[in-house]
């Protein structure tokens, strides 16, 4: 993880003579150093080259594609770089690409400006030539314009780096399925060959019986150690230590199986718990806290998206988790969605210290009351995201929400809960979400933004639909209609 880096590639040409190229090279190195020292980039920037020829560009692209640490390239033209030079490299580029349209100097220097200054500092038109070729080649890319020392520019660059890391994680992601999807459910289905081709996900099934075998081999010492970890992180609000120990056994076994296969996400279903006493609750929650993706009812798509969005968040394991829209509060002036799940809500969403509780769970084949973490979600702006299979293409739907402290205590609700206001408002938001076909399962994230999800979808080559404060049902219907036509032509 800590080896991830991005490459800074500066465009130029031989026209200006060696002195100008020397200055460009020195400044590119200086800018890289300052950006790395800013504290606003989550990953290292490496200055690679001031490229002057087709060959240099083709070579750095080839190296970027091949290098596992390189998660993307960032380009900029201090001077003019004729863009036909970039074609052979760009048509082969497989890594995320950001064009930083900036310039070295903040101000136009009134007294000093002359034609030498103009020759050296011409990003304003160099970056336009550079932008044309990416537009002409229909490349997915991010364009960020602004002064490189501005904190807001640096933070946008940092956010894009996290998006690109989401791409890297997606392309290597393996998902472990325990059992199939819940019977008869449509939205959790999908084309696993299509997602592997488009997104890189390897989605495969392991038998619940194999998991039970691994569970039976877990030792008491292993369970003691994990229960000590639970006690250090959470309040124990039950006398039923056996249920907690059973969840620890489930967690240890699932983690062993996932780690042996290199899986970073998993799905299970309450309809297939054969040989298990409890649906994994606390077990799944604590695995999510460690960065594993999870989806209930066999929903491997939401599980994979959870793993990816966690990796895109703070420190590579952010405040994102599996969520389900449960019920509404429809009182005028006080309209909220209540999200929860049977058990499995990630504690990274918690606004207070989670409590471990045990309660009866009627759904599924639970012989014993499963232990689970109970808490309230944090306040703050967030998004909910759903990936659906439209048949022939994937659609990513993202809605802006604002989470509030739940307006009532709900003392008899035995699961973690998050309450939010949907954008543009509850009912229009629901109409838009349903019109777009969004699932009841989502990934809720406090630290990944809609802009990042749009960029991620663009890089992956899938459809993106955003529901925000300005979205109307009519506008959305029109967009979906046009998208449908456009995607049929692709
Ligand atoms: Mn569900």
């Amino acid at each position: 993880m800590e080896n991830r880096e991005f490459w800074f590639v500066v465009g130029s040409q031989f026209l200006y003579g060696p002195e100008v190229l020397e200055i460009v090279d020195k400044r590119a190195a200086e800018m890289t150093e300052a950006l790395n020292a800013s504290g606003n980039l989550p990953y290292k920037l490496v200055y690679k080259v001031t490229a002057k020829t087709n060959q240099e560009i083709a070579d750095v692209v080839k190296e970027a594609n091949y290098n596992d640490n390189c998660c993307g390239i960032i380009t900029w033209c201090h001077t003019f770089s004729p863009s036909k030079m970039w074609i052979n490299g760009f048509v082969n580029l497989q890594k995320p690409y950001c064009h930083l349209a900036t310039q070295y100097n903040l101000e136009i220097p009134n007294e000093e400006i002359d034609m030498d200054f103009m020759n050296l500092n011409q990003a304003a038109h160099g970056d336009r030539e550079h932008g044309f070729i990416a537009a002409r080649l229909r490349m997915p890319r991010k364009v960020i314009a602004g002064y490189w020392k501005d904190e807001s520019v640096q933070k946008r660059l940092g956010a894009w780096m996290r998006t690109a890391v989401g791409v890297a994680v997606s392309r290597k992601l393996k998902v472990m399925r325990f059992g199939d999807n819940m019977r008869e459910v449509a939205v959790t289905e999908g084309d696993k060959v299509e997602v592997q081709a488009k997104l890189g996900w390897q989605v495969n099934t392991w038998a619940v019986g194999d998991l039970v075998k691994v569970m039976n081999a877990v030792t008491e010492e292993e369970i003691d150690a994990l229960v000590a970890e639970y006690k250090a992180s959470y309040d124990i609000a039950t006398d039923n230590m056996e249920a907690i120990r059973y969840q620890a056994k489930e967690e240890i076994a699932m983690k062993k199986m996932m780690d042996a296969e290199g899986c970073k996400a998993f799905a299970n279903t309450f309809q297939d718990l054969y040989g298990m006493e409890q649906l994994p609750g606390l077990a799944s929650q604590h695995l999510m806290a460690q960065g594993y993706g999870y989806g209930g009812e066999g929903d491997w798509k939401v599980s994979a998206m959870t793993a990816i969005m966690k990796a895109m968040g703070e420190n590579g394991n952010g405040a994102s988790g599996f969520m389900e829209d449960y019920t509404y509060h429809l009182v005028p002036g006080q309209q909220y969605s209540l999200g929860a799940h049977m058990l499995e809500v990630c504690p990274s969403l918690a606004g207070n210290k989670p409590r471990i509780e045990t309660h009866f769970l009627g759904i599924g084949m639970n012989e014993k009351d499963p232990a689970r973490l109970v808490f309230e979600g944090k306040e703050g702006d967030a998004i909910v995201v759903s990936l659906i299979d439209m048949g022939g293409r994937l659609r990513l739907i993202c809605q802006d929400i604002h989470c509030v402290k739940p307006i009532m205590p709900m003392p008899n609700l035995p699961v973690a809960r998050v309450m939010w206001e949907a954008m543009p408002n509850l009912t229009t938001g629901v109409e838009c979400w349903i019109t777009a076909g969004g699932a009841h399962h989502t990934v809720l994230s406090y630290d990944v933004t809609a802009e990042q999800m749009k960029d991620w979808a663009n890089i992956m080559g899938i459809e993106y639909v955003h529901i925000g404060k300005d979205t109307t049902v009519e506008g959305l219907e029109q967009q979906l209609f046009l998208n449908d036509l456009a995607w049929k032509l692709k």
Side-chain angles (χ1 to χ4, degrees), residues 296-297 322 324 341 440-441:
E297 290 89 66
F322 169 60
E324 179 168 281
H341 204 257
H440 54 292
H441 285 167

Side-chain angles (χ1 to χ4, degrees), residues 205-272:
T205 301
W206 276 259
V208 176
D210 288 337
L211 173 59
V212 171
K213 235 184 272 174
V214 179
M215 278 170 56
N216 290 340
V218 172
T219 66
E220 292 301 309
E221 290 72 28
E222 287 173 303
I223 294 172
D224 290 343
L226 185 53
V227 169
E229 226 180 286
Y230 293 159
K231 281 182 177 163
S233 308
Y234 312 124
D235 289 333
I236 310 272
T238 175
D239 296 330
N240 189 349
M241 285 310 292
E242 272 319 298
I244 296 174
R245 293 184 69 81
Y246 194 81
Q247 291 283 333
K249 188 199 274 193
E250 291 178 326
E251 176 180 337
I252 292 160
M254 288 191 286
K255 188 171 187 308
K256 278 183 184 172
M257 284 182 68
M258 282 195 279
D259 291 353
E261 296 290 341
C263 293
K264 286 295 286 177
F266 69 108
N268 58 14
T269 168
F270 64 87
Q271 286 175 334
D272 190 353

Side-chain angles (χ1 to χ4, degrees), residues 56-71:
E56 280 180 304
I57 295 160
D59 284 348
V60 76
V61 166
K62 195 161 70 175
E63 203 188 332
N65 287 341
Y66 188 75
N67 188 301
D68 280 338
N69 293 337
C70 174
C71 292

Side-chain angles (χ1 to χ4, degrees), residues 1-6 43-44 69-71 165 168-169 311:
M1 290 279 286
E2 58 270 21
N3 293 330
R4 289 194 168 124
E5 61 186 39
F6 289 79
Y43 298 95
K44 191 173 147 197
N69 293 337
C70 174
C71 292
V165 164
V169 168

